[in-house]
Amino acid sequence: MKRFEWVQASTTDDALGQSTRTCAELMDSNKKTSGASVVKAGGIDLLDLLKEGILSTQRVVNIRSIDDLHHISFDKKGCVIGPLLTLAEIAEHADIRKKFTALADAAEHIATPNIRNAATVGGNLLQRPRCWYFRSEEFNCLKKGGKDCPANVGENKYHAIFDNEKCSIVHPSTAAVALVALGASIELTSRKGKREVKLEEFFISPSEDVVKENRLAEGELITAITIPDNGWKSAHIKLGEKDSFDWSIGDCAVALDMEGSTCKKAVIVLGAAAPVPYRATAAENFLKGKSIDEKTAREAGKLAVQNAKPLSQNEYKVTMLEVAAMRALLKAAQS
Ligand SMILES: Cc1cc2nc3c(=O)[nH]c(=O)nc-3n(C[C@H](O)[C@H](O)[C@H](O)COP(=O)(O)OP(=O)(O)OC[C@H]3O[C@@H](n4cnc5c(N)ncnc54)[C@H](O)[C@@H]3O)c2cc1C
């Protein structure tokens, strides 16, 4: 790990004054970024990147103890969460569990108790992909400014089954899958002002820009996450190789607008499936006006993966995601 300076920011203005760059910019070998600063929240992903030798920076700006970024409030419209809420705080919050079950379910099953105590929801949304070629300093893949995607012809068992032609990373954030299903937006603040972006539109596919995964701009911070309270039912199911200390290999968040036992509207989002949280729209449309039981949930699960294009080693993910979608639908409907 290369040496860096440490800056302790105690207010949002302090942090904004540091003109930080995104990790994607710092890791793009085609960009000149010497002298740049980067934000640290819980530090779980950032320190991995620094230790792996694929990110270097002159300055790390620690935002972890900024009080005005650590808050939660509820009103009739919904809930506003500060980006520094930890995953453990989200998983344990009684009102989040009651109103936004999918988010509490998702946060509860990320990584390990130790990591959930340190990792923040803002950092979770912005962590970089876990693709082993991207994470190795031995490979200069497309995301780091290289010329090809080694995963597409190499070891790809954990990679994408949708939208995988150019670069087959899967989106790493489990919280994002739940927040997209719940229709969340994020507030982005820079020295120029604030903007609000629907989380679903914040993430970008490699076909639009292969170097970055989201629309965070230079000097911007996530300063709030808003979840609308529509009274919908929701759930999240994560499947992995281990119960703890592991990433998802297939997960699904579902949000349901129900009238009695009839589904008026469903939002179904697959995780660890594509470079962005993946909306299963054919399954969503199929469920409109139907009751959700084992038969319709199974059919919806099949429709959710109907356009999958697995790579040489990840066909097993098609079945996993089909099952995750079916189970998440039943769990949400029965909650
Ligand atoms: C064994 C293991 C298993 C894991 N399993 C999972 C899993 O199943 N699902 C999952 O989602 N994750 C998983 N993770 C990843 C872990 O949850 C993330 O690394 C963590 O949530 C990142 O949050 P952080 O606060 O530590 O972010 P940091 O490392 O501090 O920051 C991450 C990125 O976000 C930027 N950043 C942070 N906060 C802000 C802000 N407010 N505004 C602007 N930029 C900001 C930083 O500059 C950096 O680029 C796992 C990790 C490990 C080690």
Side-chain angles (χ1 to χ4, degrees):
M1 178 156 59
K2 296 201 176 124
R3 294 171 74 87
F4 52 80
E5 293 162 30
W6 180 262
V7 176
Q8 187 69 32
S10 48
T11 63
T12 306
D13 281 345
D14 261 5
L16 293 174
Q18 295 298 325
S19 304
T20 50
R21 307 292 284 268
T22 67
C23 276
E25 286 176 304
L26 294 179
M27 291 168 70
D28 181 350
S29 58
N30 293 322
K31 290 215 168 128
K32 290 199 174 61
T33 52
S34 61
S37 309
V38 70
V39 162
K40 176 207 146 285
I44 305 289
D45 194 46
L46 187 77
L47 291 190
D48 270 359
L49 296 168
L50 291 164
K51 285 188 284 185
E52 283 155 355
I54 54 171
L55 173 73
S56 62
T57 182
Q58 184 164 339
R59 224 167 289 109
V60 169
V61 179
N62 185 27
I63 62 167
R64 188 68 185 85
S65 37
I66 298 182
D67 285 340
D68 48 327
L69 296 178
H70 186 254
H71 55 82
I72 179 161
S73 61
F74 291 83
D75 65 17
K76 277 187 198 142
K77 287 191 202 147
C79 167
V80 181
I81 297 175
L84 293 184
L85 230 65
T86 64
L87 298 172
E89 286 169 328
I90 287 178
E92 286 158 15
H93 199 289
D95 289 330
I96 292 190
R97 177 151 298 283
K98 189 168 156 211
K99 290 173 183 289
F100 310 112
T101 315
L103 179 59
D105 283 351
E108 187 186 3
H109 292 105
I110 290 173
T112 64
N114 285 356
I115 291 171
R116 293 194 291 276
N117 280 334
T120 66
V121 62
N124 187 270
L125 297 176
L126 297 173
Q127 62 176 302
R128 305 238 48 210
R130 301 305 308 187
C131 169
W132 35 42
Y133 296 107
F134 170 68
R135 291 270 168 173
S136 164
E137 56 184 325
E138 306 290 319
F139 293 88
N140 190 27
C141 73
L142 285 170
K143 292 195 77 59
K144 292 183 280 189
K147 292 204 164 32
D148 53 25
C149 170
N152 278 357
V153 289
E155 299 293 326
N156 51 40
K157 90 182 234 204
Y158 298 123
H159 289 72
I161 59 168
F162 300 99
D163 189 13
N164 53 11
E165 293 79 14
K166 186 162 186 180
C167 156
S168 53
I169 58 146
V170 291
H171 197 271
S173 167
T174 310
V177 176
L179 285 167
V180 168
L182 293 165
S185 305
I186 53 174
E187 178 188 80
L188 299 170
T189 305
S190 70
R191 282 200 283 184
K192 291 184 209 147
K194 291 182 189 294
R195 62 187 176 120
E196 186 92 9
V197 183
K198 282 274 283 180
L199 192 59
E200 187 170 1
E201 287 152 22
F202 178 65
F203 298 121
I204 51 182
S205 151
S207 53
E208 185 178 339
D209 187 339
V210 75
V211 170
K212 50 193 198 177
E213 296 86 47
N214 57 59
R215 300 184 197 284
L216 189 76
E218 200 176 306
E220 267 184 334
L221 290 178
I222 297 184
T223 42
I225 300 164
T226 303
I227 315 172
D229 185 1
N230 306 322
W232 290 23
K233 295 179 167 201
S234 70
H236 177 267
I237 291 281
K238 172 181 167 183
L239 302 176
E241 284 175 337
K242 293 182 284 177
D243 264 353
S244 187
F245 215 91
D246 210 0
W247 278 267
S248 155
I249 50 175
D251 58 287
C252 178
V254 160
L256 299 175
D257 183 10
M258 300 294 289
E259 195 165 68
S261 60
T262 305
C263 172
K264 280 167 60 188
K265 187 169 178 200
V267 181
I268 303 172
V269 184
L270 302 180
V276 297
Y278 179 85
R279 280 286 292 271
T281 45
E284 292 175 4
N285 293 336
F286 165 77
L287 288 171
K288 255 184 222 158
K290 296 198 172 63
S291 66
I292 295 178
D293 52 26
E294 198 151 335
K295 190 162 170 255
T296 51
R298 192 174 292 280
E299 187 57 31
K302 286 199 175 76
L303 289 169
V305 293
Q306 70 176 358
N307 294 324
K309 291 200 179 93
L311 300 165
S312 55
Q313 298 174 352
N314 67 6
E315 197 158 354
Y316 75 98
K317 276 194 165 199
V318 179
T319 316
M320 290 198 72
L321 284 156
E322 178 183 330
V323 169
M326 183 189 81
R327 288 191 194 163
L329 279 164
L330 290 173
K331 187 174 171 192
Q334 288 159 11
S335 64

